[in-house]
Each structure stands twice: as C-alpha cells, then as structure tokens.
Amino acid sequence: PHIIFILADDFGWDDVGFHGSRKIPTPNLDALASDGIILSNHYSQPLCTPSRGSLLTGKHPIQIGLQRGVIYSAQPFGLGLKEKLLPEYLKTLGYKSHMVGKWHLGFFADEYTPMRRGFDSHYGFYGASEDYMTHIGGMGGLDFWLNGQPDRSGQGHYSTTLFTTKAEQLLAEHNQTEPMFLYFSHQAVHTSHPKEDGHRLFAPSQYTDKFPFIADVECQHMAGMISALDESVGNLTKSLHANGMLENTIIIFSSDNGAPHGNTDVCSSNYPLRGAKSSVWEGGTRVPAFVWSPLLKKSGYVSKQMMHISDWLPTLLKAAGYDMSALPGDLYGVSQWQALQENGPSARNSMLYN
C-alpha cells in the first residue's frame, strides 16, 4: 500500500469537527475520520522533536536522547545516526519515500538531514519554526530547502500552499509500479515569528476572510490556518484519487503534540483535556488522530485502543508486509495493525508520558 502520513504541528484536541468542535469547519478531516477510524486514545509526546523522533524510529524518546526538549537551530545535535528510520525500513520493500515540510531532528551536519536518513526527496525546512511567507527561520536566515539545497523560489508564498503543491506534484510524477511513502509534516498550525504588529499567527486573506465573525485578529488567523490545513488534506486526497492511488493507500493524520496555551497562543483548544503543549497532562500528549484506508477490514468507528506515536513504525511495516521478526528487539512501538483491522484489544496497556 501507499502510505501517507500527515503530521500537523500544535493541533489542539478541540480544533477538529470530528471531536465535536463547532468553532472552525474541518470538512475534509471530518470526512476521512468518520469514514476511517477515529483514534480517540492516541498519544504523542509533549513537544515537536520527541514526537518526530519517536514516530520515525519506533522508539520512545527516552531511548534516543530526545526526551528532554526540542532541538534548537544552533545546536550541534541531532537524532543519532545509528537509529534506523521508517523510510529506511520501507526501502527494503521497494518504497519510494518523500518528505514534505518540517524536519526538526537536527541539521548541523549533512548526514543528519532527511536526504541522508532514507528519504528520496525533501522539500521544506529543518528547524522548529519559520515565517510562513518569507521562510526565515529561528536564526534569522532562510530555512527552506529542496533536496538539500537552499530554495528561494517560495519566498512570498504561503507554506501550506507550497507544501500541498509539492505533494500533488510528487503524486502526479510517481511511478505507479512502486509503493510510495509520503511523510507530509505540516508547518501549520505552529506559531510564526512575531510580525510588526506583534502577531505570531498568519494565514492569507483568502482563508481569514471566511471568519469575519471572529473579532480577535490572532484567533482569526488561527482559524484561517486550520482552514488552509483542512483544504490541503482535501486536495491531497483528490490528487491520490486522480492519480489512481487512493484505493491502495493508508492515510494517517495526527498532531505532534497538543495545542499551546498562554500569551498569544490561546486560540487553539484542547478542551476538555487538561493542560497543553510542553506538559504531560493529556492536553499536551493526547492528540487528534485518525487512520483511513480502503484496506481496513473494519472502519467507520471510534477506536478506544491505546496507541503511542511510536506504534506507527511497526504498524505500518506490518501493513506493508515487512518481516516483523527482523525488527530490533528494543522498539517501544508495537504493531496495532491487527487491533485496528478487527477493532480488537490494543497491543499495549500502558504508555510512558515522559
């Protein structure tokens, strides 16, 4: 099967319609979630870097030195080179692996960047955050790359739109005789760098104009960011269908952690969960997620199975036909493919927050 993993950034539990939110319409996310499996007991880590490291290695951040915080742009540090990543496993099955969007697992040396960690292509940025239009990163310089080379062609264009266009291009150009893995790691809805007016959230007017009833400018931009992300998911699904890939595809959507609270970041919501990003309360670690695929034997239900973001590596390898006996014995993640297929008991009964 083709595998499309869509990872949103700082998306709150109550920012999606399929959790009952009536604030901001998310029709494309809701359609896939309701027709697939809503993962109501899905956990990530409290911060960006730990979640991403766990997803791609199948290990808990505490095993790979990423449990404490995030990697800052100036740090000479990254996800250890001895770790084998999901695209490297999939390569043994003949997959073409592409990454679009945010990396945040270290880039102080070339060997730590996506093209050296199993991905056949990468379009996006390496650091924690950047400006959505200028693509200036945390150190004050351009942080936007195409296959390891600085890319200035996107300056003045909105990140969500750029990433979606690239993903559609990858689908259109894909050799249909080969399986594809697309790791679509959105910038949205993470804060940007402060504008002159002090605001840290941004979406183009074509999205914010949908929400004239929201008086707070910052929250209006958050609504626009969510709407743009939802539109991106819809366009990606249409592109899969147009290229004859949808019927043999597994689509996963998840956030890397819960929404932040405080200061200018109050426009997302983790209601009714307690806490927020950076905390081990469920508002920081229990995240909106779903899986959709025609390959699921059972779907259209709300899953109660406990899942951790590290479970996706063995789960997807199982779905792809990997020899599971060849997996390392120290993975924290466990395959949930059978549990999801049958709506059976979870393969785990505990989860380490941090």
Side-chain angles (χ1 to χ4, degrees):
H2 306 297
I3 298 169
I4 312 294
F5 200 107
I6 305 169
L7 187 68
D9 200 330
D10 291 2
F11 217 54
W13 180 266
D14 195 40
D15 288 341
V16 291
F18 64 83
H19 280 166
S21 174
R22 292 181 291 177
K23 298 182 301 178
I24 304 162
T26 53
N28 295 295
L29 289 168
D30 297 347
L32 287 171
S34 62
D35 192 50
I37 303 172
I38 297 173
L39 305 172
S40 67
N41 216 14
H42 182 279
Y43 290 86
S44 65
Q45 293 299 121
L47 288 166
C48 308
T49 294
S51 289
R52 293 159 202 275
S54 188
L55 167 65
L56 291 176
T57 62
K59 296 184 178 182
H60 197 282
I62 206 166
Q63 296 176 276
I64 52 178
L66 298 180
Q67 77 277 9
R68 186 170 181 180
V70 302
I71 298 173
Y72 293 98
S73 295
Q75 280 187 290
F77 174 65
L79 175 62
L81 298 179
K82 293 182 180 179
E83 303 299 338
K84 189 172 182 178
L85 273 55
L86 179 56
E88 296 176 290
Y89 286 105
L90 290 172
K91 193 179 290 290
T92 66
L93 299 175
Y95 275 77
K96 289 293 183 182
S97 295
H98 304 280
M99 181 182 171
V100 173
K102 174 178 173 175
W103 176 238
H104 207 187
L105 288 172
F107 65 100
F108 74 100
D110 282 343
E111 55 264 36
Y112 287 83
T113 58
M115 294 283 289
R116 303 288 290 273
R117 307 304 298 266
F119 289 101
D120 297 299
S121 74
H122 172 246
Y123 179 68
F125 62 108
Y126 291 156
S129 64
E130 60 168 23
D131 187 273
Y132 278 83
M133 300 295 286
T134 66
H135 313 299
I136 299 300
M139 295 298 292
L142 181 73
D143 183 10
F144 213 73
W145 307 82
L146 175 61
N147 298 337
Q149 298 300 314
D151 181 30
R152 294 173 174 82
S153 64
Q155 289 181 292
H157 299 279
Y158 191 48
S159 290
T160 303
T161 304
L162 290 172
F163 294 153
T164 306
T165 300
K166 172 56 73 172
E168 291 173 322
Q169 177 190 347
L170 291 169
L171 293 175
E173 296 176 351
H174 181 66
N175 182 348
Q176 298 289 339
T177 65
E178 298 172 318
M180 178 185 194
F181 170 48
L182 173 61
Y183 175 38
F184 195 164
S185 178
H186 273 281
Q187 179 178 0
V189 294
H190 197 287
T191 54
S192 178
H193 303 304
K195 308 291 184 185
E196 292 181 0
D197 58 8
H199 293 304
R200 300 183 63 200
L201 303 173
F202 178 76
S205 59
Q206 68 190 86
Y207 299 107
T208 57
D209 287 350
K210 298 178 182 179
F211 305 99
F213 52 88
I214 299 179
D216 184 276
V217 173
E218 196 82 282
C219 293
Q220 189 181 61
H221 277 278
M222 172 57 75
M225 295 164 77
I226 292 172
S227 181
L229 174 60
D230 181 77
E231 180 184 272
S232 169
V233 172
N235 288 340
L236 188 67
T237 308
K238 290 177 185 176
S239 186
L240 284 164
H241 176 69
N243 290 288
M245 301 170 67
L246 190 61
E247 293 304 308
N248 188 36
T249 291
I250 301 170
I251 299 175
I252 302 100
F253 175 85
S254 174
S255 182
D256 62 346
N257 45 250
H261 287 174
N263 298 323
T264 60
D265 304 330
V266 296
C267 299
S268 285
S269 173
N270 297 313
Y271 177 85
L273 305 180
R274 179 181 183 178
K277 175 182 179 178
S278 304
S279 79
V280 292
W281 299 116
E282 295 214 333
T285 54
R286 189 175 169 196
V287 296
F290 66 78
V291 56
W292 178 94
S293 177
L295 305 177
L296 294 167
K297 294 177 182 177
K298 289 188 177 181
S299 59
Y301 69 90
V302 177
S303 162
K304 303 295 185 183
Q305 292 97 335
M306 177 182 286
M307 283 194 72
H308 182 256
I309 196 166
S310 63
D311 293 343
W312 283 115
L313 183 141
T315 298
L316 293 172
L317 290 179
K318 176 71 173 179
Y322 191 81
D323 178 6
M324 303 300 282
S325 66
L327 285 176
D330 62 346
L331 294 186
Y332 184 72
V334 292
S335 173
Q336 302 278 7
W337 186 243
Q338 184 174 351
L340 293 172
Q341 286 275 28
E342 302 173 356
N343 193 12
S346 173
R348 68 165 64 248
N349 57 20
S350 65
M351 194 279 298
L352 177 65
Y353 283 100
N354 207 38

